[in-house]
Amino acid sequence: MINAPWWDYAQYPAFFVLGAIVSLINSIAGGGSTLSLPIMIFLGMPATVANGTNRIGLIIGNCSSAFNLMKHGYLNKKIFLQLLIPTIVGTGIGVCFLVHIGDKMFQAILAVVICLVVVMSNLRKDILGKPPATPPEKLTWKGAIGFACISIYGCIVQVGVGFVQIFALTRYTGLEPIRVNALKNALTNVFLIVSTTALGIAGKIDWPIAIVMAAGAWLGGYCGSFLQRKKGNKFIQHFVSACSIAMAIYLIIDLIVG
């Protein structure tokens, strides 16, 4: 970390604000970790420790947002339970391969995935077929495989998984954006809790910083869910698209410059 006397006093308020901003972004769209992880690494935290520390705030922020949306009736519990098993299966596989991926390869894959999601989400013609008018009554085999793979990715990499979840949940359920986000936040915590536990056991969490960021994340998650309820579905769609494009551009530039 920064070796300066003033930083001893400033670091905790700074990480509180960072946790709040990241959580607000994640609760509505995703990709907040592309802001927090580079900052934490720049400030001198080892990459693997930054990864573990960052996830504590993500869990708290997701809980805050998911609980608030569930309290107002936006969480489809039937679909959540339907997708819970493939998410758990994928999480079990993903935790076995946690952090075993090269940084450059990860960024290249992630940038392509985000660009594809943005393009397909905004196409007027549904090249993959239209989302269903109502959510499926039973888990389909495509849904089981798809959401298991998403949880594997989320468990290992985590960054950008929110964008993929939003796209997949929209295609699978046909639900409106605010209900999709409620599902996304609830399912995300399944693989986040498992992967973070593994990183904690490995000693990859700076607990004082993690707790401060978690406090900020609770505030950010609540504010994010509040904005979704007040601003409506169009706001969510525009926010997701803007965050997705910004994240993809950042990853591509970082690949070229790095």
Side-chain angles (χ1 to χ4, degrees), residues 20-21 23-29 61 64-66 68-69 178 181 185 217-232 235-236 239:
I21 294 173
S23 181
L24 188 149
I25 294 172
N26 281 333
S27 70
I28 303 176
S64 174
S65 180
N68 196 31
L69 291 175
I178 192 168
N181 264 342
N185 292 335
W218 180 266
L219 175 63
Y222 180 85
C223 291
S225 61
F226 177 82
L227 281 174
Q228 292 178 66
R229 291 190 291 108
K230 294 300 181 182
K231 296 294 184 179
F235 166 77
I236 298 172
F239 195 96

Side-chain angles (χ1 to χ4, degrees), residues 33-47:
S33 293
T34 58
L35 172 66
S36 57
L37 288 180
I39 291 176
M40 295 165 78
I41 294 170
F42 174 77
L43 292 175
M45 189 176 290

